[in-house]
Structures are given as structure tokens and as C-alpha cells.
């Protein structure tokens, strides 16, 4: 990126570290339901924050760094594939929404991002296992994704509102 | 800028569709008794669970280690797995075709269906 300030770089590094810490901590929590891919996705709070306050480039870099390092620290090699496909689709869905949503609607981007994350996960699962039957998990995955997206979305929106207020002071 | 109600309706519609699909899959899967075991998308074994009279145990090898599969009258499960996440073990017993048992590291899928998908179906459930 051209013209990135030291301030911006430090902020991105800090956000990556926070996202990574959340990612690793969440991996220690046992899955609430025994369905592969169901998770809260708390690190998504940081992605949403980065998308709405730093823009596309930084958000993409933070997400990529978090997924790569997160899979290295907490997951297995195979989970990297799911996270990358899910994360990439999620980001692609969120970016255009940035222009459309107001500051009070930021949570919407998280939910729609979660839906696309699920689409990415299930597509990779079908390709990896060669079994389209896995798609029968999609409805359940979608419902849990929407719920998790609502939660992380409102959390991110509250965070952004707080930070906006601080900047004004 | 769209109104918030637009987004709420959109998301609610997707959730409703997912809910309907989940219920439909549940109904459609009822009554299936033939367990088809797929690895890498190929059915490696079919067992008619309704004809089993005693518990059948066998193992399947995969890149992430061994899965031990336990089948008995009307139901099937993965009783032991060497992979670290143990998701397939926690998925527990399956007695209908609503949702398959999946072991992603070993690319293993166990599905209850109405017909045997294996080339050499073991309808009597005898194991070697």
C-alpha cells in the first residue's frame, strides 16, 4: 500500500493481534453443537471494524494475516482452507455494503458476511469430500451463521460508535 | 441508503428459507435405513441397518488416522476417531437421513439413504 503511515501500520498490527487473540481463545471453547463449521466467529468483530474504519485494503490484510496465523496456532491445516474460503467470500460481500449502510446499520454487513462465509465453507466442504450430500448441513449452518453474525455485528457496531465518540473528543 | 426494515426483512427471509429447508430435510430423511459410507465421494460400504441383529464394528483409514464405525439395529455412529477435533464422534448416533455424519479431515461421510450406493452392498450386514 502506498503512503501508509506508521500510525496506520501500528493500528493494523494491533487489530491483527487482537483478532488473533480472539481467534485462538475461541478455538479453546468446545463447539456448542457437533456440526463442523458452527462457531461464534468473534474475530469477525475486528474484520467489521476494519472494513468500516480503515477500508478494503487494510481489512483484507488484517483478515488474511489473522486466518493464516490463526490456523497455524489453533487449527489444523484443513481448517485453513475453510477459513480462507469463508473469510474471502465474507469480505467480498461486506465491502460493497460499506457504501450502502448507515452507521446504525453496520450489523447488517456482519450478518450478510456470515451468510457468505457459510456459502464458502459449504462449497469447500463439498469439494474436499466430493460429497454434495454435505449441503444438507447448509440450512443449519446458515441459521447459526445468521445468529452469530447478528451478535458480532452489533458488537462491532457498538465498538465503532465508541471509537467515533472518542475521536470527536 | 436503504431503510433498516429492508435489511431486517431480507435477513428474516433468508432465515425463514433456511428453517423451511431444515424441516424439509428432516421430513425427507425419515425412514431411511441403509447406511452408505462415503470416502472421497466414493461409497465404500453400504449396510442395511434395519437387518442388523447385533453390533457391527469396523474401521476406515484416512489421512487423519482411523475412524471406528459402530453400526447396530437401526442406527450408526463413529465411536472412535484419531483426529484431534472429534466432531464426528460428538455427532453421535444417526437413525434417519436428515443429516449425515461428517469427518472432514478424513473426507468421510456416513449417510442414511433409501438405497444402497455401494457397488457391493452388504444388505445382510455381515462384516469381514
Amino acid at each position: 500500500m502506498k503512503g501508509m503511515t506508521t500510525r496506520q501500520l501500528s493500528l493494523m498490527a494491533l487489530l491483527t493481534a487482537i483478532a488473533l487473540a480472539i481467534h485462538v481463545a475461541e478455538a479453546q471453547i468446545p463447539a456448542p453443537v457437533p456440526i463442523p463449521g458452527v462457531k461464534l466467529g468473534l474475530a469477525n468483530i475486528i474484520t467489521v471494524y476494519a472494513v468500516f474504519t480503515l477500508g478494503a485494503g487494510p481489512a483484507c490484510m488484517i483478515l488474511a494475516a489473522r486466518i493464516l496465523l490463526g490456523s497455524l496456532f489453533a487449527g489444523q491445516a484443513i481448517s485453513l482452507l475453510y477459513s480462507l474460503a469463508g473469510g474471502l467470500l465474507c469480505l467480498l460481500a461486506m465491502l460493497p455494503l460499506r457504501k450502502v449502510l448507515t452507521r446504525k446499520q453496520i450489523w447488517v454487513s456482519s450478518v450478510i458476511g456470515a451468510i457468505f462465509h457459510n456459502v464458502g465453507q459449504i462449497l469447500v466442504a463439498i469439494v474436499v469430500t466430493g460429497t454434495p450430500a454435505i449441503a444438507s448441513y447448509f440450512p443449519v449452518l446458515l441459521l447459526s451463521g445468521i445468529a452469530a453474525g447478528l451478535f458480532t455485528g452489533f458488537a462491532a457496531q457498538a465498538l465503532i460508535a465508541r471509537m467515533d465518540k472518542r475521536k470527536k473528543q | 441508503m436503504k431503510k433498516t426494515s429492508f435489511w431486517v426483512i431480507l435477513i428474516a427471509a433468508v432465515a425463514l428459507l433456511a428453517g423451511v429447508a431444515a424441516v424439509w430435510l428432516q421430513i425427507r430423511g425419515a425412514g431411511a435405513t441403509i447406511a452408505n459410507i462415503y470416502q472421497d465421494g466414493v461409497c465404500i460400504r453400504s449396510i442395511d441397518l434395519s437387518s442388523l441383529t447385533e453390533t457391527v464394528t469396523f474401521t476406515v483409514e484416512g489421512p487423519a488416522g482411523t475412524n471406528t464405525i459402530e453400526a447396530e439395529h437401526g442406527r450408526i455412529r463413529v465411536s472412535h476417531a484419531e483426529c484431534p477435533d472429534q466432531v464426528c464422534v460428538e455427532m453421535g448416533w444417526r437413525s434417519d437421513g436428515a443429516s449425515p455424519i461428517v469427518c472432514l479431515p478424513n473426507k468421510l461421510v456416513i449417510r442414511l439413504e433409501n438405497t444402497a450406493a455401494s457397488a457391493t452392498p452388504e444388505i445382510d450386514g455381515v462384516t469381514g
Side-chain angles (χ1 to χ4, degrees):
Chain A
M1 257 203 344
K2 234 193 267 176
M4 186 164 40
T5 61
T6 315
R7 187 188 158 76
Q8 204 174 3
L9 182 66
S10 340
L11 182 60
M12 282 166 62
L14 191 63
L15 286 174
T16 306
I18 296 172
L20 195 56
I22 297 173
H23 185 107
V24 172
E26 195 190 296
Q28 306 307 313
I29 306 171
V33 269
I35 295 173
V38 170
K39 60 183 176 190
L40 206 45
L42 289 175
N44 188 47
I45 295 171
I46 302 298
T47 311
V48 175
Y49 178 82
V51 164
F52 279 86
T53 61
L54 301 178
C60 194
M61 286 190 261
I62 292 169
L63 182 70
R66 190 259 294 175
I67 290 173
L68 287 174
L69 293 172
S71 302
L72 202 66
F73 290 157
Q76 308 152 50
I78 192 109
S79 67
L80 176 69
L81 220 61
Y82 297 100
S83 294
L84 268 183
L88 198 73
L89 268 181
C90 168
L91 198 65
L92 282 178
M94 269 200 240
L95 288 175
L97 287 171
R98 207 157 63 100
K99 302 260 191 293
V100 187
L101 299 174
T102 65
R103 276 313 214 216
K104 289 244 181 286
Q105 296 173 333
I106 288 173
W107 60 272
V108 171
S109 75
S110 174
V111 176
I112 293 179
I115 292 171
F116 278 84
H117 187 110
N118 292 149
V119 171
Q121 278 178 314
I122 211 86
L123 285 179
V124 172
I126 290 172
V127 172
V128 166
T129 60
T131 316
I134 291 190
S136 59
Y137 275 115
F138 189 54
V140 183
L141 209 56
L142 209 53
L143 286 174
S144 85
I146 289 171
L150 277 172
F151 181 76
T152 58
F154 278 108
Q157 188 171 315
L159 178 70
I160 292 166
R162 269 290 167 90
M163 296 305 275
D164 280 352
K165 220 193 248 172
R166 275 183 65 108
K167 267 180 209 153
K168 275 190 202 131
Q169 278 171 3
Chain B
M1 301 291 158
K2 298 248 190 240
K3 281 198 170 144
T4 303
S5 58
F6 167 82
W7 297 110
V8 171
I9 291 168
L10 183 76
I11 292 165
V14 174
L16 191 71
L17 272 177
V20 169
V23 171
W24 178 75
L25 284 169
Q26 193 73 42
I27 294 168
R28 196 194 59 160
T33 59
I34 297 167
N36 289 318
I37 295 140
Y38 297 87
Q39 193 165 32
D40 269 325
V42 180
C43 185
I44 52 171
R45 193 164 183 157
S46 296
I47 305 168
D48 188 351
L49 298 179
S50 62
S51 69
L52 288 183
T53 48
E54 53 188 31
T55 305
V56 171
T57 310
F58 56 96
T59 59
V60 176
E61 288 287 335
T66 306
N67 292 90
T68 308
I69 298 167
E70 203 174 290
E72 54 182 56
H73 184 77
R75 59 183 196 165
I76 189 163
R77 69 163 175 167
V78 177
S79 58
H80 180 79
E82 284 179 352
C83 66
D85 62 61
Q86 301 288 313
V87 168
C88 54
V89 178
E90 282 161 25
M91 287 175 126
W93 294 98
R94 284 289 180 280
S95 53
D96 62 48
S99 61
I101 299 175
V102 187
C103 167
L104 289 175
N106 275 346
K107 302 172 185 179
L108 183 76
V109 177
I110 303 171
R111 250 192 117 191
L112 263 69
E113 289 166 303
N114 292 315
T115 50
S118 161
T120 51
E122 298 163 55
I123 295 302
D124 59 353
V126 175
T127 57

